[in-house]
Amino acid sequence: MTDASRIAVVGAGYVGLPTAAVLARFGHTVVCAERDDTRFGALAAGRVPVLEEGLAELVAEVVGNGSLRFVRSAAEAVHGARFVFLCVATPEAYDGAADLSFVQEVATEIASALEPGAIVVNKSTVPVGTALAVERITGATVVSNPEFLREGTAVRDSLRPDRVVVGADDRRAARQVGELFSETGAPLIVTDTVTAETIKYASNAFLATKLSFVNALAGLCESVGADVRDVVLGLGYDRRIGFDFLRPGPGWGGSCLPKDTAALVHIAESVGYDFALLRAAIAANEEARERVVRKVEEAAGGDLSGRTVGVWGLTFKAGTDDRRMSPAVDVTRRLADLGVSVRAYDPTVPPGPVPTDLADLEGMVLCADAYDACRGASAVALLTEWDEFRGLDFAKVADLMASPALVDARNLLDPAALRRAGFSYSGVGRP
Ligand code: UGA
């Protein structure tokens, strides 16, 4: 029998875990399924396996008051649940399409265990039309409820989202799912599944295009001698443009923007539409990464082969331990391909053996701190905007390097202070 508000969340990853914890915080009873041994082991032992501000505290609170618990199997989690949230990964397949095997696997696994009348809610980012496929597999009503949280601020974003989108052919079911989030006070958009699924891709594609625009603009600023930070200030005060998501950097990455832009290009192709604008945004992202490599080359005085380069930051942005599709890792790879000896430091990556996802960078030395990473280096590339890089003793950094040259791919540091410390400094889009 279903409990009127019992919720199952399948998957305790970067989306599933904050979703489960926040729904529990809103007063619902939540059971979250995680089949990965390491992840489940950590959660069962009271540890949160991802770095996410405020999440460990929130999980401890809701587990402590009995509103959230973890189980191993999805079938167990859905037992007695009125709402079943699917929060599983949809990685990129070889051709840019979204790989739906996890969604399909879970849908098949839960099909026979679902309670009569249970509503399946799809939070995973899936191609337009997937809700119908999940409906066919499970026989249940499926509501598409795309997630817009960002890694690093997942708890804040989930407690106070800009909007809640619910899409279903059965609008009553969509509204019921929307009501689970009523405490957020966010505007509720009730629509059909295809539209809800499109909203998710459109949001990430727009954000990616915005970033590609500002990164290309930064390149232009360098050529004409303008300062991109002031240009962005001048743009941002126009309320139609705004200030958000306009920080130039080494290109955009992470587990969502690259995968979702590729998937949307693929979706468009499959219906005979050439989304040339989005393809250009993706190409501009390649250029942004390559420009950082060229700057490091220049900073090191030309040929990089045989040189040592220090790398500060490996995660795809600060505030997360996620390195999936990280621009920092990509730039590091490009440097290694040019024959560079890489010494890297990231506050979330322990020194010592290179982790498996970086196996192709096996010659890379992972250092215990930012100073150690620049020992003997001809240049340092700051690739992730970790706050701790601001507070370094740059005179000490300069002493440790073969020649004090710094490429600040995040415009994090103060060029004047660095020049005083004897550095040649190169930022993004700054004269
Ligand atoms: C992104 C979206 O922002 C979320 O709304 C969405 O829910 C999520 O994908 C998803 O689909 O799951 P996320 O992947 O956590 O969130 O990362 P972002 O904060 O969007 O950053 C993406 C990349 O853009 C990073 O490499 C970041 O460093 C870069 N970025 C972001 C900039 O270079 N400049 C900026 O001003 C903002």
Side-chain angles (χ1 to χ4, degrees):
M1 218 184 69
T2 61
D3 169 338
S5 69
R6 239 269 275 132
I7 295 174
V9 174
V10 182
Y14 287 96
V15 169
L17 190 53
T19 300
V22 164
L23 284 167
R25 175 69 183 283
F26 290 157
H28 308 294
T29 306
V30 183
V31 179
C32 180
E34 175 55 61
R35 67 175 186 182
D36 178 84
D37 286 340
T38 318
R39 270 202 178 162
F40 180 77
L43 291 164
R47 278 180 285 111
V48 163
V50 294
L51 178 70
E52 194 59 73
E53 201 189 340
L55 187 58
E57 294 80 353
L58 181 61
V59 169
E61 178 194 321
V62 290
V63 167
N65 67 22
S67 11
L68 173 64
R69 67 188 171 87
F70 298 99
V71 295
R72 288 294 291 272
S73 91
E76 192 183 340
V78 306
H79 181 70
R82 166 102 175 100
F83 300 95
V84 177
F85 282 74
L86 305 186
C87 301
V88 297
T90 49
E92 188 177 331
Y94 67 94
D95 58 353
D99 174 357
L100 290 179
S101 45
F102 295 126
V103 174
Q104 282 158 345
E105 241 174 72
V106 171
T108 310
E109 187 187 341
I110 62 172
S112 57
L114 284 173
E115 302 288 349
I119 294 172
V120 174
V121 187
N122 192 14
K123 258 205 182 298
S124 310
T125 307
V126 290
V128 177
T130 303
L132 294 175
V134 174
E135 214 153 65
R136 270 198 295 274
I137 298 174
T138 60
T141 297
V142 176
V143 175
S144 166
N145 170 224
E147 182 49 64
F148 301 104
L149 65 80
R150 291 159 299 170
E151 288 182 25
T153 52
V155 173
R156 215 181 326 141
D157 291 350
S158 307
L159 288 171
R160 290 272 162 273
D162 290 341
R163 76 296 208 190
V164 172
V165 174
V166 281
D169 297 333
D170 176 348
R171 299 294 164 105
R172 227 183 103 238
R175 281 192 189 285
Q176 284 172 356
V177 173
E179 277 160 22
L180 298 174
F181 299 94
S182 58
E183 206 165 305
T184 63
L188 179 67
I189 298 164
V190 182
T191 184
D192 58 79
T193 49
V194 169
T195 305
E197 288 163 347
T198 305
I199 289 172
K200 171 65 192 184
Y201 281 110
S203 302
N204 276 357
F206 186 81
L207 291 170
T209 307
K210 201 172 179 189
L211 289 176
S212 276
F213 177 82
V214 81
N215 284 332
L217 190 68
L220 179 73
C221 285
E222 286 168 15
S223 303
V224 299
D227 186 332
V228 75
R229 289 163 322 142
D230 288 347
V231 173
V232 165
L233 202 62
L235 285 171
Y237 276 112
D238 185 327
R239 282 193 294 265
R240 294 168 301 174
I241 300 174
F243 292 104
D244 287 344
F245 239 71
L246 281 176
R247 266 180 297 111
W252 38 271
S255 64
C256 304
L257 263 44
K259 150 179 91 68
D260 293 350
T261 45
L264 190 53
V265 166
H266 192 272
I267 290 167
E269 266 167 14
S270 71
V271 291
Y273 177 66
D274 177 14
F275 207 149
L277 177 67
L278 190 53
R279 284 194 295 104
I282 296 170
N285 198 35
E286 282 293 302
E287 278 169 35
R289 290 164 181 213
E290 199 50 38
R291 265 203 303 276
V292 178
V293 175
R294 297 280 88 84
K295 278 182 190 161
V296 175
E297 208 163 41
E298 224 171 273
D303 189 8
L304 279 174
S305 176
R307 302 289 188 96
T308 297
V309 169
V311 163
W312 289 347
L314 288 168
T315 54
F316 82 99
K317 62 176 178 180
T320 176
D321 54 2
D322 197 346
R323 296 188 294 269
R324 287 175 293 171
M325 306 295 281
S326 168
V329 170
D330 185 31
V331 167
T332 305
R333 262 195 200 113
R334 289 170 196 237
L335 291 170
D337 288 346
L338 293 173
V340 160
S341 301
V342 175
R343 294 182 69 79
Y345 165 70
D346 185 286
T348 67
V349 185
V354 171
T356 44
D357 63 304
L358 305 174
D360 55 327
L361 287 164
E362 60 177 18
M364 175 172 69
V365 179
L366 287 172
C367 301
D369 60 33
Y371 297 109
D372 194 24
C374 46
R375 225 172 269 281
S378 300
V380 169
L382 188 163
L383 301 176
T384 311
E385 71 283 22
W386 290 106
D387 221 24
E388 67 173 71
F389 299 142
R390 289 180 208 269
L392 293 171
D393 173 348
F394 286 99
K396 180 172 166 187
V397 174
D399 280 348
L400 288 165
M401 294 180 70
S403 60
L406 198 142
V407 175
D408 180 3
R410 296 283 186 169
N411 285 347
L412 186 79
L413 307 174
D414 174 8
L418 279 157
R419 288 191 185 113
R420 277 199 301 279
F423 275 87
S424 83
Y425 172 92
S426 156
V428 187
R430 304 166 94 165

